[in-house]
Amino acid sequence: MSCCLHEFCRVQELKAVREFLFQNQMPSPSEDKNPTENELTWDTSDWESSWENPDDKEDSAPAAGDTLEGESAPLSAPWLQDCVVSMSPCSDLLVVAREHKAAFLSAKWRTADGGREEMTLSLSWSGTLSVEEGESVSSVICVPLASQKRSSTGQPDWTCIVAGFSSGYVRFYTESGVLLLSQLLNEDPVLRLKCRTYELPRHPGVTEQHEELSILYPAAMVTIDGFSLFQSLRACRNQVARAAAAGSDAIQPPPLAYKKWGLQDMDAIVDHSSVGIMTLCVFDQMKNASILGGFHASVKGSPPAMSQYITVGGGPYTGFFYAIEGSSQPLLSHVALAVASKLTSALFSAASGWLGWKNKSEEEPAQKQKPKVEAATPLPVRFGLPDSRRHGESICLSPCNTLAGVTDDFGRVTLLDVGRGIAIRMWKGYRDAQLGWIQVSEGRGERELSPSAPLPRRHAQFLVIYAPRRGILEVWGTQQGPRVGAFTVGKHCRLLYAGYRLMGVNSVTSQGWQLHTQQVCLLDPATGVLRTITVPFHLALSDKKSERAKDMHLLKRLTTILRSREVEPDILESESKSVLLDIKHPAIKKQALESLLSNKNAPVSCLANITRALYDSLKEQDPETVDEALLQLCSSQLKLLQLYTDLQQLYFTGPSSTNTQPGESPVGMEEELARVAPILQRYGQLTSRPCVSFAQDSPDTPLPVRSFLAQMECEDGLVKVVRGADSDWNQLGSFLFWGCLTGASPLQRVCETLQDTGISPQQLLSLLLSVWLSREKEVLRKPEAVRNLHTLLTTLSSMKGAVEDSWDPQSVSPWWQQVRTACVQSPSAAGAVLVAVVAHRAAKASITSLADIKFQSDWEAVSLELEHWAVCVRQLEDVLALQTLLYMPTPHGTPGGALPQCSVKTLLEGGRGGIADSVAKWVFRQDLAPGRLREMLQRRAAREGEGEEKTERTEGEEKDKSTENADSARTELLVSVCQRFPDSLSPDLLFAHCCWEYVVQWNKDPEEGRYLCWAVEHLKLVSSPHIQLGIAAMMWSTFIVKRFSAAAFLMEKVGKAPKDRLCRRDVGMSDGAMTSFLGSCVQLLQILMEVEGWPFSFMNSKADSAVEEVSPPKLCVEEVWGGAEGPASIAELALEQRGVHYPLVQHHCLLASLLHAAMTFSMRLKPLGLFDSKGKNAFFRELNSIQLMPSGDMDPGLVSLRQEFLLRVLTGWVKATDEAPASGPCPALGPMADWWPSLCLELGSLLQVNPDILRRHLVCELYNQGLDLRAEEVMLEVEDQDVLGSQLLVLTGQRLCYSLLHSQTQTQPAMELLARLPPTLCTWLKAMDPSELRCPSVPLAQSSRLVSRLVEILPENHGQYSLALHLLEAVEALTNED
């Protein structure tokens, strides 16, 4: 245990910070590196003498530091030395400032590559801090403010950034760069900002120090009371937040009390430290009185309290100032008037010149006139350390306020005793050094456990010195301690030491807080790494007198030996034995022994010899001085090591003669094994697929000694097994019993050895079952393992404490219950079945023998125990069949990931629908179409109709076919599982769960519209209308209505079928998937209408109110699975659903049909605009709610819009039909489906649109497209033949006009016929526009047939009847000419 420098944070975006602070400047060149420079001599005994001439070696640096910086040349230049850097003591904020710019970096947590959480500092704000022109930032500190909430545990509420400027201003900012306060305290530049926070007094006599912020100017110092500052900052932050919320930018800062002292009698001051309030002892009071006042000086009875300040600079090199607190009398009577005049002029008034939180344009007028600056109260130096040539550079106060480190321009570091005002130590060779302190508390140990009054915990101070010129970081013990640590670091790092903690803490609020603060941090700008130093307390102890320090050194030496992998066992044994015997402290000796026993490289013989040697040495000592815990540890570990050795030797001795002879199997076990053999064989084939595994994870890997010892405990001579991780537990079980199961070890001798150790039979049984169930694949390949398992179970059952001798038919044995519990919880189905069969027969034999002894009769013993076994075996066989089905590979190959696992426990906890849910997930993975699944279940029904004997007889034949056809094997497995679960896997339940599984998968991936379509198809196959109704309602409310409403609102917004981008943004799917989704919505709503009332669709319909005509189904489960407890199944939830309101469902179905048509034919439509206000308000409500629906005649304008849309749908369908291939059936979905016309007619009747108008339009569109045969079929349904005749007469004229006037292949007979036509007909034909025809070139025979139909449907008194006759003559003449 030595000093260590470890990384705790990493600064991100450091390059961006540098580019921001050094804009328009070239990066400063890195320092020249000389490869021949002298390196540090770590082995020198006279450390300080080697640095007598620091000028020659101050630029030297170790090669390791050069390598580190050479890796990142652009960032390794000493740019950070030109910046002002400060870090919060809570390590959650870092500020880097230069000139008028600053960057704030805040802490964030991220997941590293290895999955480990690590903290980083990322750029959170960057900008300009200066307000006045030409000013720059000269000093910055980050002050975390404590939370005032009662639930706080010591974390800061927020952090205030205090910045001092060259103009004399001091400004306070939030973490986001918002200015809170701005104060001009002095017109000189701010040299240094320092803070002191509250610390609990370590001893009763120590004066309680108050919080304070001190600001140093070249000839003055301002101190602000911490409590007043804390309250002012909180008030300003609250005002800023309220002003920002109200849209204002002006705040009223509260007043702030401060003191201002004019430091006199020093030529130059560059740094300071505020030590705090101190009180002189009586002797020092009298000494000062005699020196200053002479013989006649008078002394007051109570010494005054004074604030002590220390400054460094020049003339003198270090100065000590004392300011008397309050109105207490001075020390000497003759200086009373002088001191009183100082106190009366000391400023406790409110600060003037506060600037509001305003923007820059509003601040400029206020800055032209600087606020009034109060005069300082003179404070002369009391005494100092005069050194005319030496100039101090910095001072760093220790956490206990008793020591201080000072650096100077001579490259020296001086340690000051603050109380006595003297230098007590000096280091040389540290030019440009940076200082910090580490305070370490003594661990809770013997000092607090002493029988007398507990001694207070000791604290040690360590001085941290960073020498950038040599790139070394050192830790020194104080006051005269040695160097306890040295680290090679970069040359351009910054040592960050705050010297304070949270502000706003007092003796009451800090109770129970855990303040997590870093004392010293080292920032490396080359890599952005923040490191902290950890120093053990024992390094502060004298290495000559502390046995504990020596023992810790020996422990460290032992740890080094154990970490080495190339040490020979003999050397390891001798070295470890020597170290263990040399350690004196019992606790450290115990720690060393535990480290040795937990080493993975030490052989068992080496461990046994070392432990025995230590045990012998302890026995030779005086019994009163020997630590009993250490002696007991040695004794127990020796026994465990001996047990490990004995078991290891038994494993290599081979099986005994009794093992090689096959034992007699219990009655009935062979028959049961033969019964489950086929399904076991199929299970083994499916689980024997190759997989990737690591060698160290192999179960055949020998058990390390440390793993064995970690899981074993020895108390009072008895060994107890301690269960750890499952992998370690299985490895221990393999070490004990795998050799017995495979026949490689003498079974009886192993059991006797384990019984002699005192391990309970229950723990041995648990280990045996764990290894059997975890190595299931290997067990299935070893037939002899079942017989050995039976022998082991019988042997363990006969041990003392396993099975009770008294037998009660109505009781359950805890021993066999443990076996059943392990089988029920295990996902290894085949292994659990084999264990259950073997244990069932062993238990039956045991119970039978006990019954024979007790009753002396030939009756068969019947007990509750055997009933439990019968149920357990049946459950496990069912799970084995189900697990075999789930292991079936998918048709497209097995995807990556673990195979689905199930056990009796998971099925029971999954509720009544757990089994159907597992099979539904299997159906989804197998990608079984709903029709294919129905065929498989119909085959099941056919097999159930056959006799039981025939089923068993054909089982072997079907099994042979399964090897040839994978689909047949899949069918057979599903049928067999359904036969085992006739109630849980009834067709309705299975279809219901498949429907829900597919809609869940669709919700995960809406692009797969096929999933939702198949979910609806599965729902159609459910025969129970009650289940259909409930599942459809749950699907609608859970998954559908949200996307459906989004699609409707999107189409209403854009006024047409939206593009792919908009569909993905608003609905979460592509335009093609959205079309399929709307079609599935229509089908789902039609299912709801079918079960509630007569549907309006083209689908096959059921009777009205099918739910009312059929009673709800009764959901049952198999008898052995009646104890299932868990969430309700989908069918149970469906039966609990309330009925839906038919008109509301029809209303939604109408909207879904309109949306589907608009998306299918890419039409313009504002769907909600086709409904009135009542219709719009009824949309997207709960389907079981009663809404105010549209009634009566609709507005003619809405009816006109509806009619126009339906006409365009019919036109789009006619166009799509003409583009369809001539051969092949019409598709069931899409724009070419043949059900669109009937759907439009049904929609028209619901939308109050005249269906005859739609039929006439359809007839005209079909003739326009040249589909005369289809048009003639629809024409028969038209009611108003007169209007249709007029419309078709125009179309016929367009056709004849195209043939006579616009055809490029006009014939001579056609021209002659045109000349012979009546003038009226000729003029009418010339007025026709054949460009309106989509198919103008129609055979004359079709046109002749059309004209004939016109003459038939037009009455003779019709105004255009004669025109039709002339057309008929013209067409016939043209036909004859052709």
Side-chain angles (χ1 to χ4, degrees):
M1 295 178 65
S2 59
C3 289
C4 60
L5 184 68
H6 60 87
E7 173 185 345
F8 75 94
C9 182
R10 187 174 289 269
V11 181
Q12 304 289 334
E13 308 174 53
L14 205 55
K15 185 177 180 181
V17 173
R18 180 188 180 187
E19 292 175 354
F20 171 73
L21 296 178
F22 291 85
Q23 287 180 355
N24 303 325
Q25 294 187 16
M26 295 295 293
S28 57
S30 59
E31 296 181 358
D32 296 336
K33 301 177 181 64
N34 187 3
T36 61
E37 290 176 345
N38 296 330
E39 297 183 356
L40 288 175
T41 306
W42 299 98
D43 297 333
T44 180
S45 58
D46 189 8
W47 188 272
E48 295 184 355
S49 63
S50 64
W51 297 335
E52 284 294 332
N53 189 2
D55 296 334
D56 295 337
K57 297 185 179 182
E58 63 186 3
D59 293 333
S60 64
D66 295 343
T67 305
L68 178 63
E69 296 181 12
E71 295 175 358
S72 181
L75 286 179
S76 62
W79 64 275
L80 200 62
Q81 309 301 332
D82 299 333
C83 302
V84 180
V85 185
S86 177
M87 186 171 185
S88 169
C90 299
S91 306
D92 58 352
L93 184 67
L94 178 68
V95 176
V96 184
R98 179 180 179 272
E99 295 181 351
H100 59 282
K101 298 180 181 179
F104 298 173
L105 296 97
S106 301
K108 294 182 180 179
W109 288 92
R110 72 170 187 177
T111 303
D113 297 337
R116 179 176 56 87
E117 292 288 334
E118 65 176 17
M119 189 178 76
T120 61
L121 287 173
S122 302
L123 186 63
S124 59
W125 183 87
S126 60
T128 301
L129 293 182
S130 63
V131 176
E132 293 191 344
E133 183 178 357
E135 68 176 0
S136 60
V137 180
S138 56
S139 181
V140 171
I141 60 171
C142 302
V143 183
L145 274 69
S147 174
Q148 298 297 299
K149 298 179 181 179
R150 294 185 177 180
S151 59
S152 176
T153 58
Q155 295 298 325
D157 186 16
W158 62 288
T159 303
C160 178
I161 295 93
V162 187
F165 292 85
S166 58
S167 60
Y169 273 95
V170 178
R171 297 187 177 95
F172 301 82
Y173 301 87
T174 64
E175 304 101 320
S176 56
V178 177
L179 178 62
L180 296 178
L181 296 176
S182 180
Q183 173 71 40
L184 182 62
L185 299 172
N186 200 36
E187 294 184 350
D188 296 326
V190 176
L191 297 182
R192 193 67 62 92
L193 297 171
K194 290 195 176 181
C195 181
R196 186 177 72 242
T197 55
Y198 176 81
E199 293 286 344
L200 286 172
R202 192 177 307 164
H203 303 291
V206 177
T207 306
E208 188 175 86
Q209 302 295 336
H210 298 287
E211 297 176 327
E212 182 183 75
L213 175 68
S214 57
I215 307 158
L216 181 66
Y217 294 93
M221 182 177 63
V222 174
T223 61
I224 304 176
D225 179 62
F227 178 78
S228 174
L229 178 63
F230 177 74
Q231 299 297 337
S232 299
L233 291 176
R234 288 187 62 225
C236 288
R237 185 167 179 261
N238 294 336
Q239 289 188 26
V240 166
R242 285 194 293 267
S248 174
D249 58 356
I251 65 172
Q252 296 296 328
L256 190 65
Y258 66 91
K259 303 177 186 178
K260 186 174 181 181
W261 305 100
L263 305 180
Q264 298 179 345
D265 305 329
M266 279 194 70
D267 296 341
I269 301 176
V270 295
D271 198 1
H272 78 290
S273 280
S274 175
V275 181
I277 300 175
M278 61 169 297
T279 304
L280 295 175
C281 64
V282 178
F283 176 80
D284 291 337
Q285 183 185 10
M286 293 182 176
K287 180 188 68 174
N288 292 338
S290 61
I291 294 175
L292 298 176
F295 179 78
H296 299 286
S298 61
V299 180
K300 288 290 184 180
S302 59
M306 299 177 292
S307 295
Q308 182 181 12
Y309 305 102
I310 306 176
T311 59
V312 295
Y317 154 66
T318 302
F320 292 79
F321 296 84
Y322 294 88
I324 298 179
E325 291 291 322
S327 57
S328 58
Q329 296 297 324
L331 291 175
L332 305 175
S333 60
H334 73 278
V335 295
L337 293 177
V339 175
S341 64
K342 296 175 186 177
L343 290 175
T344 53
S345 60
L347 295 177
F348 292 93
S349 59
S352 60
W354 293 103
L355 294 178
W357 181 59
K358 301 180 180 180
N359 55 36
K360 192 171 183 181
S361 62
E362 294 177 354
E363 288 176 2
E364 288 178 356
Q367 292 173 357
K368 294 179 180 179
Q369 183 178 0
K370 289 190 176 182
K372 178 182 178 182
V373 177
E374 302 289 349
T377 300
L379 185 65
V381 64
R382 174 73 62 87
F383 60 89
L385 299 179
D387 192 336
S388 59
R389 296 179 55 198
R390 189 185 305 272
H391 294 274
E393 294 180 345
S394 67
I395 181 171
C396 185
L397 189 65
S398 69
C400 62
N401 297 342
T402 58
L403 302 174
V406 180
T407 62
D408 56 43
D409 57 348
F410 284 175
R412 307 304 199 255
V413 176
T414 307
L415 184 65
L416 298 181
D417 186 330
V418 173
R420 295 186 292 169
I422 61 175
I424 56 177
R425 190 172 185 180
M426 182 177 286
W427 294 267
K428 56 184 179 179
Y430 294 91
R431 194 172 298 275
D432 300 329
Q434 301 172 25
L435 305 181
W437 289 89
I438 294 180
Q439 179 174 280
V440 184
S441 301
E442 185 179 16
R444 300 182 181 274
E446 297 179 355
R447 296 176 64 87
E448 296 184 0
L449 301 178
S450 60
S452 58
L455 300 175
R457 295 175 65 185
R458 295 179 293 180
H459 296 75
Q461 310 287 330
F462 295 93
L463 180 63
V464 181
I465 306 176
Y466 169 57
R469 300 238 179 162
R470 302 201 317 272
I472 185 173
L473 183 71
E474 297 181 349
V475 183
W476 291 84
T478 54
Q479 299 178 7
Q480 302 296 331
R483 190 184 69 171
V484 298
F487 307 95
T488 302
V489 294
K491 289 186 176 182
H492 308 304
C493 301
R494 286 291 293 267
L495 188 68
L496 306 177
Y497 173 70
Y500 56 91
R501 303 214 286 188
L502 268 69
M503 178 172 283
V505 180
N506 53 49
S507 59
V508 178
T509 58
S510 63
Q511 295 296 327
W513 278 13
Q514 298 292 331
L515 300 179
H516 304 284
T517 56
Q518 302 288 352
Q519 299 188 57
V520 174
C521 302
L522 184 72
L523 173 59
D524 188 351
T527 59
V529 173
L530 273 168
R531 298 184 177 92
T532 185
I533 306 172
T534 303
V535 183
F537 177 81
H538 71 85
L539 295 180
L541 304 176
S542 172
D543 53 349
K544 297 181 180 180
K545 299 180 180 179
S546 174
E547 290 185 353
R548 184 182 181 89
K550 179 181 179 182
D551 288 348
M552 295 303 297
H553 175 73
L554 292 174
L555 178 62
K556 181 179 177 182
R557 176 183 170 190
L558 176 63
T559 304
T560 305
I561 296 173
L562 295 177
R563 287 178 180 174
S564 178
R565 298 183 178 181
E566 301 178 356
V567 180
E568 296 294 332
D570 296 340
I571 300 177
L572 175 63
E573 180 179 344
S574 60
E575 291 289 336
S576 302
K577 189 184 299 183
S578 173
V579 170
L580 268 176
L581 296 178
D582 288 344
I583 294 177
K584 305 299 182 183
H585 202 277
I588 301 179
K589 184 172 290 190
K590 180 180 178 182
Q591 183 180 355
L593 179 61
E594 291 174 348
S595 300
L596 178 64
L597 294 174
S598 62
N599 183 259
K600 61 180 180 180
N601 299 323
V604 61
S605 58
C606 173
L607 296 177
N609 294 336
I610 295 173
T611 309
R612 188 173 293 106
L614 178 59
Y615 180 76
D616 294 340
S617 67
L618 293 175
K619 295 294 288 183
E620 293 175 358
Q621 297 177 11
D622 187 3
E624 296 182 358
T625 60
V626 174
D627 187 77
E628 289 295 333
L630 180 60
L631 186 64
Q632 182 65 30
L633 177 65
C634 294
S635 175
S636 60
Q637 297 303 310
L638 274 177
K639 185 172 183 178
L640 295 178
L641 290 171
Q642 185 62 41
L643 175 61
Y644 179 88
T645 305
D646 295 342
L647 292 174
Q648 201 174 36
Q649 291 175 354
L650 287 175
Y651 184 79
F652 291 107
T653 55
S656 61
S657 58
T658 57
N659 279 28
T660 57
Q661 298 177 1
E664 295 183 0
S665 300
V667 179
M669 190 174 77
E670 295 295 337
E671 290 78 2
E672 290 196 28
L673 292 176
R675 179 170 52 82
V676 298
I679 192 68
L680 284 175
Q681 182 179 1
R682 175 64 60 83
Y683 180 88
Q685 293 173 355
L686 294 176
T687 57
S688 61
R689 286 175 288 178
C691 59
V692 178
S693 61
F694 297 97
Q696 60 267 27
D697 297 334
S698 173
D700 296 326
T701 305
L703 178 69
V705 188
R706 64 171 183 173
S707 299
F708 180 81
L709 296 177
Q711 299 183 77
M712 292 288 186
E713 287 183 358
C714 185
E715 296 180 359
D716 300 331
L718 299 179
V719 178
K720 182 175 66 173
V721 185
V722 180
R723 177 149 194 166
D726 290 341
S727 57
D728 297 337
W729 187 260
N730 295 335
Q731 198 174 15
L732 178 61
S734 299
F735 176 73
L736 297 180
F737 293 113
W738 184 245
C740 301
L741 292 173
T742 58
S745 300
L747 190 147
Q748 295 295 337
R749 292 181 59 187
V750 170
C751 291
E752 291 173 359
T753 303
L754 294 175
Q755 187 176 8
D756 293 341
T757 60
I759 303 178
S760 67
Q762 286 76 14
Q763 290 184 326
L764 295 177
L765 177 63
S766 178
L767 288 167
L768 173 61
L769 296 177
S770 68
V771 64
W772 178 273
L773 296 173
S774 64
R775 306 184 69 167
E776 178 190 58
K777 296 181 181 179
E778 300 169 78
V779 165
L780 293 177
R781 294 194 296 265
K782 297 180 182 296
E784 70 279 0
V786 179
R787 185 176 66 252
N788 293 332
L789 175 64
H790 180 265
T791 307
L792 273 173
L793 274 178
T794 307
T795 306
L796 294 179
S797 303
S798 61
M799 287 185 180
K800 184 179 180 181
V803 182
E804 298 180 0
D805 296 335
S806 60
W807 172 73
D808 183 6
Q810 299 302 324
S811 64
V812 177
S813 172
W815 175 264
W816 298 116
Q817 182 61 38
Q818 180 182 353
V819 181
R820 284 194 296 272
T821 302
C823 295
V824 163
Q825 295 177 352
S826 174
S828 303
V833 167
L834 292 176
V835 170
V837 170
V838 172
H840 182 202
R841 291 302 163 183
K844 187 172 183 179
S846 175
I847 292 174
T848 303
S849 62
L850 290 175
D852 293 342
I853 297 174
K854 185 174 183 180
F855 297 107
Q856 299 291 334
S857 66
D858 296 334
W859 290 78
E860 183 178 356
V862 178
S863 68
L864 185 62
E865 183 71 44
L866 296 181
E867 291 300 321
H868 280 292
W869 271 119
V871 173
C872 180
V873 171
R874 175 56 191 269
Q875 288 177 337
L876 291 171
E877 290 178 1
D878 292 346
V879 171
L880 176 61
L882 178 60
Q883 188 71 66
T884 306
L885 175 70
L886 299 182
Y887 278 172
M888 279 289 295
T890 59
H892 308 294
T894 304
L899 292 173
Q901 301 281 346
C902 68
S903 63
V904 176
K905 181 182 179 182
T906 56
L907 291 182
L908 289 175
E909 292 176 349
R912 292 173 175 257
I915 299 170
D917 186 61
S918 300
V919 178
K921 288 181 169 59
W922 174 82
V923 170
F924 173 77
R925 289 194 302 271
Q926 296 291 325
D927 201 22
L928 283 177
R932 177 58 186 150
L933 179 61
R934 180 179 58 184
E935 294 175 1
M936 298 169 71
L937 295 180
Q938 287 175 350
R939 182 175 180 180
R940 161 202 175 179
R943 288 190 55 174
E944 287 179 351
E946 300 176 359
E948 190 68 22
E949 296 179 0
K950 185 177 180 181
T951 302
E952 294 179 358
R953 186 171 64 253
T954 57
E955 186 176 355
E957 299 175 0
E958 295 294 341
K959 180 182 173 183
D960 295 337
K961 295 179 182 179
S962 66
T963 58
E964 301 174 359
N965 191 339
D967 189 66
S968 176
R970 185 170 56 181
T971 304
E972 288 301 318
L973 282 176
L974 179 60
V975 169
S976 64
V977 171
C978 290
Q979 288 178 340
R980 284 190 167 273
F981 299 97
D983 297 322
S984 300
L985 292 180
S986 63
D988 275 3
L989 291 181
L990 185 54
F991 285 133
H993 280 271
C994 289
C995 168
W996 196 258
E997 178 64 24
Y998 270 101
V999 75
V1000 168
Q1001 297 296 333
W1002 169 82
N1003 189 56
K1004 295 178 181 178
D1005 186 8
E1007 287 297 315
E1008 291 289 341
R1010 178 173 62 94
Y1011 292 164
L1012 183 59
C1013 182
W1014 279 14
V1016 176
E1017 293 297 324
H1018 278 293
L1019 185 59
K1020 293 178 183 178
L1021 297 177
V1022 177
S1023 61
S1024 171
H1026 296 271
I1027 298 179
Q1028 263 189 337
L1029 173 65
I1031 292 183
M1034 290 192 298
M1035 286 174 59
W1036 176 262
S1037 60
T1038 306
F1039 302 106
I1040 305 297
V1041 67
K1042 184 178 179 180
R1043 295 182 188 271
F1044 179 69
S1045 61
F1049 289 131
L1050 174 61
M1051 197 173 296
E1052 180 74 14
K1053 179 180 179 181
V1054 300
K1056 60 180 180 178
K1059 300 297 184 182
D1060 185 81
R1061 180 182 63 84
L1062 295 177
C1063 293
R1064 292 183 184 275
R1065 185 193 67 184
D1066 289 9
V1067 191
M1069 60 183 76
S1070 63
D1071 54 350
M1074 182 170 151
T1075 305
S1076 174
F1077 162 68
L1078 293 173
S1080 299
C1081 290
V1082 175
Q1083 297 186 32
L1084 180 65
L1085 292 169
Q1086 287 171 352
I1087 293 175
L1088 281 171
M1089 295 169 61
E1090 285 182 5
V1091 297
E1092 278 293 329
W1094 197 276
F1096 73 92
S1097 71
F1098 50 87
M1099 297 172 56
N1100 295 329
S1101 61
K1102 301 179 183 178
D1104 289 342
S1105 299
V1107 174
E1108 299 178 359
E1109 295 183 357
V1110 181
S1111 59
K1114 294 183 179 180
L1115 303 179
C1116 304
V1117 294
E1118 295 75 18
E1119 184 179 358
V1120 295
W1121 295 98
E1125 295 180 357
S1129 65
I1130 296 298
E1132 291 174 336
L1133 293 176
L1135 294 178
E1136 295 174 0
Q1137 300 299 311
R1138 294 186 296 170
V1140 297
H1141 187 46
Y1142 178 83
L1144 187 59
V1145 178
Q1146 188 185 53
H1147 194 54
H1148 282 84
C1149 189
L1150 189 61
L1151 177 62
S1153 301
L1154 296 175
L1155 295 177
H1156 185 213
M1159 287 298 298
T1160 302
F1161 298 104
S1162 301
M1163 300 170 58
R1164 289 186 173 274
L1165 172 68
K1166 288 199 171 186
L1168 301 182
L1170 300 181
F1171 299 90
D1172 58 4
S1173 58
K1174 293 181 182 178
K1176 293 178 182 178
N1177 293 333
F1179 283 129
F1180 319 124
R1181 305 288 184 179
E1182 294 289 340
L1183 295 181
N1184 52 20
S1185 61
I1186 306 298
Q1187 300 294 329
L1188 189 61
M1189 305 297 297
S1191 60
D1193 294 337
M1194 194 61 61
D1195 181 29
L1198 288 179
V1199 175
S1200 176
L1201 292 176
R1202 295 173 176 180
Q1203 177 179 315
E1204 180 186 356
F1205 174 72
L1206 293 178
L1207 294 179
R1208 284 190 284 125
V1209 172
L1210 290 173
T1211 303
W1213 175 76
V1214 172
K1215 292 180 180 179
T1217 304
D1218 187 62
E1219 298 172 359
S1223 60
C1226 294
L1229 299 174
M1232 293 179 288
D1234 56 359
W1235 43 262
W1236 280 107
S1238 59
L1239 176 63
C1240 288
L1241 293 175
E1242 293 169 354
L1243 290 175
S1245 62
L1246 292 173
L1247 294 173
Q1248 299 183 10
V1249 177
N1250 188 358
D1252 204 54
I1253 297 178
L1254 300 179
R1255 293 190 185 96
R1256 292 200 304 266
H1257 179 78
L1258 179 59
V1259 171
C1260 295
E1261 288 295 325
L1262 289 173
Y1263 274 119
N1264 195 349
Q1265 197 70 38
L1267 304 175
D1268 291 18
L1269 294 179
R1270 289 195 177 186
E1272 291 177 3
E1273 296 176 0
V1274 182
M1275 189 187 301
L1276 300 176
E1277 302 177 4
V1278 177
E1279 297 178 359
D1280 194 345
Q1281 299 284 339
D1282 295 350
V1283 178
L1284 178 62
S1286 300
Q1287 293 173 337
L1288 293 181
L1289 187 64
V1290 176
L1291 191 141
T1292 308
Q1294 291 173 346
R1295 285 187 178 182
L1296 193 58
C1297 176
Y1298 179 81
S1299 300
L1300 296 177
L1301 301 176
H1302 297 275
S1303 178
Q1304 297 179 358
T1305 59
Q1306 290 181 344
T1307 60
Q1308 184 68 24
M1311 299 299 295
E1312 294 176 356
L1313 174 63
L1314 184 62
R1316 296 196 304 267
L1317 289 177
T1320 305
L1321 179 61
C1322 187
T1323 304
W1324 183 78
L1325 286 177
K1326 290 181 179 179
M1328 293 293 104
D1329 185 10
S1331 62
E1332 297 178 1
L1333 295 174
R1334 288 193 296 273
C1335 184
S1337 57
V1338 180
L1340 285 174
Q1342 294 185 16
S1343 298
S1344 176
R1345 183 178 177 87
L1346 173 59
V1347 176
S1348 300
R1349 295 285 297 174
L1350 281 176
V1351 175
E1352 292 177 2
I1353 64 176
L1354 285 176
E1356 294 183 0
N1357 58 355
H1358 196 275
Q1360 295 176 324
Y1361 184 77
S1362 59
L1363 187 61
L1365 292 177
H1366 290 308
L1367 278 176
L1368 180 60
E1369 294 174 359
V1371 172
E1372 289 178 352
L1374 192 59
T1375 304
N1376 294 333
E1377 293 294 336
D1378 290 344

